[in-house]
Amino acid sequence: MPSRLPPLNPLRAFEATARRGSVSAAARELNVTHGAISHQIKALEESLGTTLFERGGKRLKLTSQGALLLPAVTQAFGEIASATEMMKRPATSGELTITCVPALLSFWIIPRLHRFTEQYPGIRLTLIASNDPEHLHSPDVDICILYGDGNWPDRWTRLWSHLRLFPVASPTLVNSRPLRSVRDLSDHTLLHGDDGREWNTWLAAADANELGRGQQHFLSDARLSTEAALHGQGIALGDTITASSLIARGELIVPFDLSVPANDAFYVACRPALRTAPIVKVFIDWLFASLEADSLPEPQVSARTVLRARTRGSDSYLPVSAPAGRRTKTIQKPRSRA
């Protein structure tokens, strides 16, 4: 059973007093008497079995216990206010702030943004390129589209898409420096959108662990590694969601027919209090409906040689035309960069 929370009114009195620095100022803000605020704070201290303010002086100061409690109370009241405001908004008008995996935002959502705008012209979006789950705790962010394992405690989370990864390159680069086999990768620059683990996984599946490595560049996310591939700077790992339109237009090609599953997936997440807010529900529903409605083109593989992936000691085909998705991760101390 969860522990019993202190009553709401004493918490409001405590938060207002701590923020304003005096009982009188808190009483004016909450439109109650000085004595009522003092009584509520005393009742809260008795309930918690600790002193929250240091008495004496013109301005009240928090004790160490009071300083520990205040941020949690402030955040809770902020989230309640935010959720209440969102619930009052009509479903088809208002403002939404959304953080999204950079590659997914650039290559998938933005090309489809006009569809949402045409359907919901009264909703104004603020889109932030980020894969930082800390945004889930920000009262200024309404929805997060993240690449990860989906394990974010106390947050509403729903799987959006799994994904598979495969090499992509610009046709200009491949025409000038052919990729006839995996061994030819040693003559190319490998572009990493993470700390190198994704390429290691793909090379292991291609039975190329011992492949000599040439130049390598490590970029902060898959959007940058894909853009570098577009400019002919090397070979990146793409996928059917974020690279699909680039492949369809011939801006990128798929030199090998081998794909590998990514370790993580795309998730949509938000604070539980916001999940049922009409305007939040509208965007989340649109996001899932757009993925389901889109008929993603099957990447045209340019390789003549069929690659095989080692699976439990035997060979098995892993075609590129597998379930779609995309990833990006903030680099966590990559081995190539001290």
Side-chain angles (χ1 to χ4, degrees):
M1 291 289 292
S3 58
R4 183 175 177 273
L5 294 174
L8 179 61
N9 283 338
L11 287 174
R12 289 184 65 202
F14 163 71
E15 190 277 334
T17 302
R19 176 166 39 81
R20 300 297 295 270
S22 76
V23 172
S24 298
R28 288 193 296 271
E29 178 180 313
L30 298 179
N31 198 28
V32 296
T33 65
H34 184 286
I37 295 293
S38 296
H39 175 76
Q40 295 285 6
I41 291 175
K42 182 177 180 182
L44 181 60
E45 289 178 329
E46 291 177 351
S47 171
L48 298 175
T50 189
T51 302
L52 300 173
F53 291 100
E54 295 177 2
R55 271 69 176 182
K58 294 183 178 180
R59 186 176 179 86
L60 290 176
K61 293 183 179 180
L62 289 168
T63 64
S64 59
Q65 294 294 84
L68 180 65
L69 178 63
L70 180 61
V73 173
T74 300
Q75 180 177 340
F77 279 126
E79 291 197 7
I80 292 171
S82 176
T84 302
E85 181 184 351
M86 292 283 268
M87 292 173 68
K88 292 178 180 178
R89 297 181 196 172
T92 56
S93 67
E95 299 179 8
L96 275 178
T97 298
I98 300 162
T99 68
C100 182
V101 179
L104 180 62
L105 181 59
S106 292
F107 299 124
W108 198 89
I109 289 183
I110 287 179
R112 292 161 177 78
L113 196 57
H114 66 285
R115 302 179 190 173
F116 183 83
T117 302
E118 290 168 359
Q119 190 173 354
Y120 303 104
I123 297 179
R124 187 175 74 184
L125 300 178
T126 297
L127 299 173
I128 301 169
S130 174
N131 192 42
D132 187 353
E134 287 300 314
H135 286 300
L136 288 170
H137 302 283
S138 171
D140 299 323
V141 175
D142 302 313
I143 301 169
C144 295
I145 306 169
L146 298 165
Y147 173 75
D149 60 9
N151 183 24
W152 300 294
D154 303 323
R155 292 297 178 260
W156 177 86
T157 304
R158 182 179 171 187
L159 173 68
W160 189 68
S161 179
H162 290 291
L163 59 145
R164 299 182 75 92
L165 310 176
F166 48 86
V168 292
S170 76
T172 302
L173 177 65
V174 174
N175 286 337
S176 64
R177 200 181 306 168
L179 277 171
R180 299 185 180 90
S181 71
V182 175
R183 292 190 299 274
D184 291 332
L185 284 172
S186 60
D187 298 326
H188 288 267
T189 299
L190 296 189
L191 302 170
H192 299 275
D194 68 342
D195 60 2
R197 283 173 288 182
E198 289 182 343
W199 262 114
N200 289 340
T201 299
W202 189 89
L203 289 169
D207 201 18
N209 283 324
E210 304 304 320
L211 180 72
R213 301 289 181 92
Q215 180 67 42
Q216 302 183 73
H217 292 321
F218 291 82
L219 298 98
S220 63
D221 57 62
R223 175 180 61 181
L224 296 182
S225 62
T226 301
E227 288 178 350
L230 281 169
H231 288 284
Q233 303 300 325
I235 316 297
L237 285 177
D239 68 82
T240 33
I241 279 205
T242 61
S244 61
S245 61
L246 301 172
I247 295 168
R249 293 196 301 265
E251 296 178 45
L252 289 175
I253 63 172
V254 182
F256 307 110
D257 70 341
L258 175 66
S259 72
V260 295
N263 291 328
D264 292 322
F266 275 141
Y267 290 87
V268 182
C270 66
R271 301 190 300 281
L274 295 185
R275 174 62 188 99
T276 56
I279 194 172
V280 171
K281 186 177 185 300
V282 158
F283 184 83
I284 292 176
D285 288 349
W286 174 83
L287 193 66
F288 278 90
S290 296
L291 180 64
E292 184 176 349
D294 271 5
S295 178
L296 296 173
E298 182 175 327
Q300 182 65 44
V301 180
S302 63
R304 295 180 181 177
T305 304
V306 175
L307 300 182
R308 295 171 182 261
R310 297 280 182 184
T311 307
R312 296 181 181 176
S314 63
D315 290 344
S316 63
Y317 289 102
L318 286 177
V320 169
S321 54
R326 184 45 164 171
R327 84 289 179 224
T328 185
K329 271 195 171 182
T330 302
I331 293 178
Q332 301 293 332
K333 298 182 180 179
R335 292 188 294 274
S336 62
R337 288 189 279 182

